[in-house]
Amino acid sequence: MDANDPFAGQPHYADRLRAAFEPLGAPPDESARGQYEQEAVSLLASLLAVEEYAGARNASSNGDEEHEAGPEFLRLERKLDLVLELLSMQVLAGSAGSERSVQMSATGVRWKLDDVASVPAPGSWVVASVYVHRLLPRALRLPAEVLADEPGWLRLRFVEVGEGCREMLVRHVFQQHRRHLAGSRRALRAA
């Protein structure tokens, strides 16, 4: 694989996510990259806050259904999560790419395309849109360069992002990678 491969030696995760791309005629200029980066940081900050709260809540309950504010608050919180998920599904129904198996690292993303003819040429530029959480109806949108891959697969390397965005991407990927490893260990213990 290429030395610029976004998955070579880096933590990554695979999940069922909605993903799409929009072709760009040329690499994005500094202003456009800054706008994408700012939106990505905002989205990732929201996502990390939600996931850190959920993780802290689960750790503090130690498997017990009691919550600091009581079982009524926990039921209300779960209902709100369900409403957000249903609303997100409704919003995404006609506007987002289809759900597919997506591999993501802090420096790129990869997925199989339904239409082999729609794979852009290696070296071309796109904006990758990945809906990284079921409760967030906004996509993580970052400009990316198309890399060579197996026929029918789209492998993208994100354009260089600033330190703040890179840190948020690393945290997100690490958190998802860790969650998937923990899930695999639980499944092995249960088998």
Side-chain angles (χ1 to χ4, degrees), residues 13-22 36 39-40 43-44 46-48 51 84-85 87-104 108-111 127-142 156 158 169 172-173 176 179-180:
Y13 70 95
D15 204 348
R16 298 280 308 163
L17 303 170
R18 292 182 182 271
F21 71 92
E22 302 164 35
Y36 285 118
E39 291 172 10
L43 176 88
L44 289 168
S46 298
L47 177 59
L48 289 169
E51 290 185 339
L84 288 172
E85 184 172 0
L87 179 63
S88 179
M89 286 171 46
Q90 189 67 27
V91 168
L92 296 176
S95 63
S98 60
E99 190 174 273
R100 60 188 80 237
S101 181
V102 173
Q103 298 170 349
M104 186 163 174
V109 63
R110 178 182 189 252
W111 68 83
V127 173
S129 297
V130 181
Y131 292 82
V132 293
H133 196 279
R134 63 184 173 77
L135 297 181
L136 294 175
R138 284 179 44 209
L140 173 68
R141 293 175 36 91
L142 288 171
L156 304 172
F158 298 137
L169 283 165
H172 167 71
V173 168
Q176 295 304 313
R179 180 175 290 134
H180 283 73

Side-chain angles (χ1 to χ4, degrees), residues 53-77:
Y53 172 74
R57 183 184 70 207
N58 291 338
S60 69
S61 67
N62 291 329
D64 190 9
E65 287 298 308
E66 290 297 317
H67 190 271
E68 293 171 2
E72 294 300 318
F73 181 75
L74 186 58
R75 277 194 290 278
L76 180 63
E77 188 174 34

